[in-house]
């Protein structure tokens, strides 16, 4: 009889990936498994049958030049700390034996090779070969990324779509994003990101060994998402000149970015801003098996001199001035990764801030984190990594200064504005979850303040700012949330606190501004004089018409300020608010949306009604990971004010589960893009 030989090694891909919660990666055509759990490999033998008493099996598992040689035993007891391989003696097929390979819960992430050898009597040897990709395992209680709730694992690891939050704290805009981790080529790009990193290029052995630790992995990923120090994924651009690439607002998902980066030979993709950096990092982290979510911090401080104070300067007529290197972004977006912090102790376990947007260097490299959220809340600034920087982003005080010819006319302080809302997408639902209290201790409003009617401006902050005023108070309120195509209506309330009459100058000023920059020139202003009797309160009604803001603002914000001047004492008091104008949403409707079935054609309808005061033209783009291959685009003819247009969108679902269909309409004659999304549940039958 001919000698024993291994004719084929089957990786049992479908069964293993079903068991390891990796079936979404099936398009990669490779075996993808998670550490800390066994997976099956079966052999088809030729010649003699396998003889358990006379033949022995050994597996050599290789990651780069690192390797482990593992004997195959009949003991099903696996180890959390070392590689094990076994056969089940109760279910042993001597012609086609199955071997179970189990990695430690601390195994390094990466692409592995293995060599499976049978040693028979007389020292004869036959071998088979295979490959697999190993990821972190949030389902394994001994893995550093273990997260104990299934709904959170579904949301923070498996979900391939989500919402990013933008705008302002009082008018939050939900932006759909496709994380695309199951799209063809994305897994490979994420693994290549680790290989291209400077850490790997400098010392491959050390890098492979360190990939057991999610703290290390997350720092590498944070640095590699931006291209400042390496062959990173994205080039940042806040210049308003995007001719050499794609406007950051045009991206709808991570897949196009990661695939373009990989296909270009790792040249940076142009361009990204904070939400793009964060969303792409979220994709990479989820691919690697580290639970991750996108966080938005509204009124995010960038404190360049580490004094926890942001200075803002205004002219005596309410125009905001560029006089400081410090800044407050209307919103800033980062991510949190879930992991234990064995380097810091159990008290620092859980969510960790990671920020791939290149702002400051950490350890000589443009990256940030992982900074424990618990350390930020408790101001444990000695904890690694970058806790002081993130602490300032959510806690800095704001000093507002009115200048005239270089002379300080007044100064007020606001301790509540920075980090006024910190949020993420809720688990399992397309809505916002407020996580501000995870980052900071929330002060309870006093009974006096809580009894006041709320508005789009924080009255508590306004009162605190104006508490230094001796004789005059001013409040600035938006009458309702500003909506595109409608006037911005506002009320200025001027209060005379004295028992003598006053003559008050009132200066109103509006400037367009990007979320991360100082405002541009004034586009609307109003000046007047008000007579106030002793202890009198007067309300002044104002409005900014659509014709005045539509061509200036686009997707930008508005900085609105009012300065009142007591003409007798020359005392000046300022109130301000930065706000966004809510765009209409595209309406997406799907017939029989509760009967969406895999591999069958369905149709959606996208509807848009023009709210603007002039005709608009544009391009409609529709995408949906697991629903549509690539993107569909449609050009929209000129649509008059109040006009309505509908577009039918056919789609054939290719994956089971909750999927997002998203649409964006980019106008060619105004600087605005409007969006809409629809969550669909795809069933197998």
């Amino acid at each position: 009889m001919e000698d024993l030989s291994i004719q084929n090694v089957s990786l049992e891909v479908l069964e293993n990936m079903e068991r390891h919660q990796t079936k979404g990666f099936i398009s990669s055509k490779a075996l993808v498994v998670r550490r800390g759990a066994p997976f099956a490999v079966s052999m088809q033998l030729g010649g003699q049958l396998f003889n358990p008493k006379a033949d022995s099996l050994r597996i050599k598992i290789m990651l780069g030049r690192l390797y482990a040689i593992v004997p195959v035993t009949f003991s099903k007891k696996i180890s959390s700390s070392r590689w094990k391989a076994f056969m089940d003696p109760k279910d042993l097929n001597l012609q086609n034996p199955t071997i179970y390979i189990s990695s430690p819960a601390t195994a390094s992430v990466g692409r592995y090779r293995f060599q499976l050898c049978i040693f028979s009597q007389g020292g004869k040897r036959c071998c088979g070969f295979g490959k697999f990709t190993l990821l972190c395992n949030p389902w394994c209680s001994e893995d550093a990324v273990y997260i104990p709730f299934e709904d959170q694992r579904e949301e923070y690891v498996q979900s391939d779509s989500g919402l990013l939050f933008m705008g302002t704290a009082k008018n939050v805009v939900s932006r759909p994003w496709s994380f695309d981790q199951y799209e063809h080529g994305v897994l490979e790009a994420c693994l290549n990101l680790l290989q291209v990193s400077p850490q790997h290029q400098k010392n491959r052995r050390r890098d492979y060994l360190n990939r057991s630790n999610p703290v290390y992995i997350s720092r590498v990923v944070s640095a590699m998402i931006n291209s400042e120090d390496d062959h990173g994924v994205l080039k940042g651009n806040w210049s308003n000149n995007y001719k050499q690439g794609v406007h950051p607002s045009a991206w709808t998902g991570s897949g196009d970015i990661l695939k373009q980066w990989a296909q270009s030979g790792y040249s940076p993709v142009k361009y990204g801003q904070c939400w793009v950096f964060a969303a792409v990092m979220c994709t990479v982290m989820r691919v690697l098996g580290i639970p991750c979510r996108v966080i938005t911090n509204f009124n995010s401080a960038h404190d360049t001199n580490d004094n926890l104070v942001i200075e803002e300067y205004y002219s005596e007529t309410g125009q905001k001035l560029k006089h400081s290197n410090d800044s407050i972004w209307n919103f800033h977006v980062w991510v949190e990764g879930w992991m234990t912090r064995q380097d810091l102790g159990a008290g620092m376990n859980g969510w960790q801030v990671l920020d791939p947007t290149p702002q400051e260097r950490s350890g000589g490299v443009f990256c940030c984190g992982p900074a424990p959220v618990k350390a930020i809340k408790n101001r444990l600034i000695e904890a690694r990594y970058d806790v002081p920087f993130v602490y300032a982003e959510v806690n800095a005080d704001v000093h507002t200064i009115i200048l005239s010819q270089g002379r300080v006319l007044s100064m007020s302080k606001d301790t509540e504005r920075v980090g006024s809302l910190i949020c993420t997408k809720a688990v399992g639902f397309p809505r916002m979850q407020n996580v501000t209290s995870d980052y900071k201790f929330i002060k309870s409003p006093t009974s006096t303040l809580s009894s006041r009617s709320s508005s789009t401006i924080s009255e508590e902050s306004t009162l605190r700012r104006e508490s230094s005023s001796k004789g005059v108070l001013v409040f600035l309120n938006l009458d309702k949330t500003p909506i595109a195509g409608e006037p911005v209506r506002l009320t200025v309330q001027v209060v005379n606190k004295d028992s003598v009459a006053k003559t008050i100058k009132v200066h109103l000023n509006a400037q367009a501004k990007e979320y991360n920059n100082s405002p541009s020139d004034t586009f609307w202003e109003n000046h007047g004089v008000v007579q106030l009797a002793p202890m009198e309160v007067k309300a002044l009604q104002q409005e900014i018409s659509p014709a005045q803001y539509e061509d200036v603002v686009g997707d930008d914000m508005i900085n609105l300020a009012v300065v009142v001047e007591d003409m007798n004492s020359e005392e000046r008091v300022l109130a301000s608010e930065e706000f966004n104008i809510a765009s209409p949403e595209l309406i997406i409707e799907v017939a029989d949306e509760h009967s969406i079935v895999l591999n069958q054609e369905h149709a959606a309808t996208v509807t848009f009604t023009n709210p603007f005061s002039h005709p608009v033209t544009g391009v409609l783009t529709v995408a949906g990971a697991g629903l549509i291959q690539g993107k569909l685009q449609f050009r929209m003819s000129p649509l008059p004010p109040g006009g309505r247009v509908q577009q039918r969108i056919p789609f054939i679902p290719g994956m089971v589960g909750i999927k997002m269909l998203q649409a964006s309409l980019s106008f060619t004659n105004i600087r605005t893009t409007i969006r809409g999304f629809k969550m669909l549940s795809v069933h197998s039958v």
Side-chain angles (χ1 to χ4, degrees):
M1 180 179 288
E2 75 179 85
D3 291 338
L4 178 64
S5 64
I6 300 176
Q7 296 184 335
N8 183 52
V9 176
S10 172
L11 300 180
E12 308 291 350
V13 171
L14 290 175
E15 295 83 352
N16 281 322
M17 291 174 68
E18 179 81 33
R19 199 177 301 120
H20 281 248
Q21 307 287 345
T22 57
K23 60 184 178 181
F25 297 116
I26 200 70
S27 67
S28 69
K29 298 180 181 178
L31 174 59
V32 183
V33 292
R34 300 191 186 277
R35 62 189 189 181
F39 61 93
V41 174
S42 60
M43 297 181 292
Q44 182 181 345
L45 302 182
Q48 300 177 13
L49 298 179
F50 177 73
N51 183 349
K53 294 181 179 179
D55 302 329
S56 64
L57 272 166
R58 196 170 69 191
I59 298 177
K60 183 178 182 181
I61 299 164
M62 296 162 278
L63 178 63
R65 293 185 177 180
L66 300 177
Y67 66 90
I69 296 176
V70 184
V72 180
T73 70
F74 289 97
S75 169
K76 297 170 65 175
K77 185 177 180 181
I78 61 175
S79 170
S80 63
S81 60
R82 55 195 179 93
W83 289 89
K84 291 278 289 185
F86 64 89
M87 290 188 288
D88 186 349
K90 296 179 181 178
D91 189 28
L92 184 57
N93 182 329
L94 300 180
Q95 185 72 55
N96 298 297
T98 296
I99 299 165
Y100 296 90
I101 302 172
S102 179
S103 65
T106 55
S108 294
V109 168
R111 295 188 187 96
Y112 285 77
R113 298 168 292 126
F114 69 85
Q115 180 187 54
L116 197 161
C117 294
I118 301 177
F119 297 87
S120 53
Q121 288 179 324
K124 293 182 179 179
R125 184 180 81 158
C126 58
C127 297
F129 301 88
K131 297 178 181 179
F132 62 92
T133 294
L134 191 67
L135 308 177
C136 294
N137 191 353
W139 285 263
C140 174
S141 61
E142 293 169 313
D143 196 313
V145 302
Y146 172 67
I147 194 166
F149 303 105
E150 180 59 25
D151 61 343
Q152 292 188 8
R153 292 191 288 257
E154 289 178 6
E155 180 71 45
Y156 301 138
V157 182
Q158 295 180 298
S159 178
D160 60 356
S161 63
L163 298 177
L164 315 179
F165 297 103
M166 306 163 113
T168 58
K170 295 295 183 178
N171 187 12
V172 177
V173 175
S174 303
R175 174 166 180 169
W177 188 270
S178 186
F179 294 114
D180 292 332
Q181 65 260 44
Y182 306 124
E183 295 293 290
H184 182 71
V186 170
L187 169 67
E188 292 76 12
C190 295
L191 293 168
N192 289 345
L193 180 146
L194 300 180
Q195 302 295 103
V196 173
S197 73
Q199 290 88 339
H200 187 76
Q201 297 300 315
K202 184 177 180 180
N203 189 323
R204 298 187 178 195
R205 174 183 171 82
R206 184 189 302 158
D207 175 62
Y208 279 135
L209 289 170
N210 285 335
R211 283 196 210 169
S212 63
N213 184 354
V215 174
Y216 172 84
I217 295 172
S218 64
R219 275 185 73 75
V220 171
V221 173
S222 176
M224 282 297 298
I225 296 299
N226 70 73
S227 62
E228 296 304 305
D229 309 288
D230 43 48
H231 293 287
V233 177
L234 277 160
K235 177 68 175 174
N237 186 343
W238 289 267
S239 71
N240 243 340
N241 180 358
Y242 307 108
K243 291 181 180 178
Q244 301 300 315
V246 175
H247 192 299
S249 290
W251 300 113
T252 59
S254 304
D256 288 346
I257 295 168
L258 286 164
K259 287 187 281 187
Q260 181 180 324
W261 173 71
Q263 291 164 4
S264 70
Y266 313 115
S267 295
V269 176
K270 300 175 181 178
Y271 292 105
Q273 291 184 2
C274 66
W275 71 91
V276 187
F277 286 112
V280 173
M281 180 165 184
C282 186
T283 295
V284 177
M285 295 282 277
R286 289 183 183 183
V287 165
L288 299 178
I290 303 173
C292 191
R293 63 187 187 181
V294 180
I295 299 290
T296 301
N297 176 39
F298 286 98
N299 296 327
S300 187
H302 188 173
D303 179 20
T304 58
N305 55 6
D306 299 324
N307 66 349
L308 289 178
V309 172
I310 306 296
E311 293 89 5
E312 293 192 331
Y313 296 89
Y314 283 83
S315 74
E316 57 190 318
T317 56
Q319 185 174 33
K320 196 171 187 180
L321 308 171
K322 175 62 175 172
H323 277 346
S324 173
N325 290 327
D326 290 346
S327 61
I328 298 177
W329 293 16
N330 292 94
F331 62 88
H332 181 47
V333 186
W334 58 67
V335 301
E336 291 175 353
W338 179 276
M339 63 194 75
T340 60
R341 291 301 300 269
Q342 295 177 352
D343 56 328
L344 298 177
M348 297 294 104
N349 292 346
W351 291 116
Q352 315 285 320
V353 171
L354 292 149
D355 191 349
T357 299
Q359 296 182 89
E360 301 283 343
R361 293 185 185 273
S362 172
V365 177
F366 277 107
C367 69
C368 180
V373 173
K374 292 173 183 174
I376 296 161
K377 182 171 183 175
N378 292 288
R379 203 179 179 179
L380 302 174
I381 58 175
E382 73 284 354
R384 294 187 297 178
Y385 293 87
D386 308 306
V387 171
F389 181 76
V390 183
Y391 180 87
E393 288 184 297
V394 301
N395 281 299
D397 292 342
V398 182
H399 290 180
T400 303
I401 300 157
I402 301 177
L403 293 177
S404 175
Q405 298 179 335
R407 184 169 62 95
V408 174
L409 302 179
S410 75
M411 196 276 282
S412 55
K413 178 181 176 183
D414 186 344
T415 62
E416 298 298 312
R417 179 172 153 204
V418 168
S420 58
L421 172 64
I422 307 170
C423 65
T424 188
K425 178 187 173 297
V427 174
F429 296 96
R431 61 173 182 247
M432 184 189 79
Q433 176 185 346
N434 187 336
V435 296
T436 312
S437 61
D438 292 352
Y439 281 80
K440 55 202 297 186
F441 295 97
I442 306 299
K443 298 173 184 175
S444 300
T446 65
S447 57
T448 303
L449 294 174
S450 60
S451 66
R452 303 178 66 91
S453 62
S454 63
S455 68
T456 54
I457 178 173
S458 167
E459 295 189 21
E460 181 183 358
S461 295
T462 303
L463 286 175
R464 185 174 291 104
R465 285 202 301 269
E466 308 314 333
S467 61
S468 62
S469 168
K470 295 175 183 175
V472 183
L473 275 177
V474 63
F475 297 98
L476 175 61
N477 296 318
L478 298 176
D479 295 351
K480 68 169 194 171
T481 300
I483 298 173
E486 296 182 8
V488 177
R489 293 189 171 90
L490 56 117
T491 300
V492 176
Q493 194 177 41
V494 188
V495 181
N496 181 2
K497 294 164 58 180
D498 285 347
S499 56
V500 296
K502 292 182 182 292
T503 301
I504 304 292
K505 282 184 180 179
V506 180
H507 305 283
L508 278 157
N509 188 288
Q511 299 160 270
K513 75 177 295 289
E514 295 182 24
Y515 74 97
N516 65 311
N517 265 327
S518 296
S520 55
D521 293 337
T522 298
F523 73 85
W524 176 88
E525 57 187 325
N526 192 291
H527 307 277
V529 177
V530 176
Q531 303 293 333
L532 289 179
M535 310 302 288
E536 185 181 7
V537 178
K538 273 192 177 176
L540 312 175
Q541 308 292 327
Q542 298 286 331
E543 71 173 46
I544 307 172
S545 70
Q548 291 171 304
Y549 70 73
E550 279 179 351
D551 294 331
V552 178
V553 177
D555 286 327
D556 296 339
M557 314 282 178
I558 291 177
N559 186 90
L560 183 64
V562 57
V563 173
V564 296
E565 177 187 354
D566 183 336
M567 295 183 66
N568 181 41
S569 67
E570 296 187 348
E571 178 187 13
R572 291 170 175 83
V573 185
L574 177 143
S576 65
E577 176 70 326
E578 291 180 348
F579 60 89
N580 52 314
I581 296 179
S583 295
E585 286 191 359
L586 296 174
I587 305 301
I588 303 177
E589 297 174 305
V590 178
D592 300 322
E593 66 177 87
H594 300 296
S595 305
I596 308 297
V597 179
L598 188 70
N599 297 326
Q600 291 188 17
E601 181 168 317
H602 302 270
T605 302
V606 180
T607 303
F608 168 66
T609 303
N610 180 13
F612 300 105
S613 60
H614 49 74
V616 292
T617 60
V619 175
L620 175 68
T621 302
V622 183
L627 298 172
I628 295 173
Q629 290 288 329
K631 291 182 171 63
L632 302 177
Q633 288 195 323
F634 308 89
R635 187 163 295 279
M636 186 182 72
S637 301
L639 190 67
R644 182 170 173 265
V645 64
Q646 290 187 320
Q647 178 65 54
R648 182 180 182 273
I649 310 295
F651 63 94
I652 301 176
M655 288 183 68
V656 171
I658 304 298
K659 301 297 168 188
M660 174 191 284
L661 188 66
Q662 59 166 308
S664 61
L665 180 56
S666 297
F667 298 106
T668 54
N669 57 336
I670 55 174
R671 298 186 303 112
T672 300
T673 299
I674 63 171
R675 299 174 174 84
F677 70 94
K678 183 83 171 177
M679 304 305 296
L680 299 174
S681 181
V682 180
H683 306 280
S684 57
V685 289

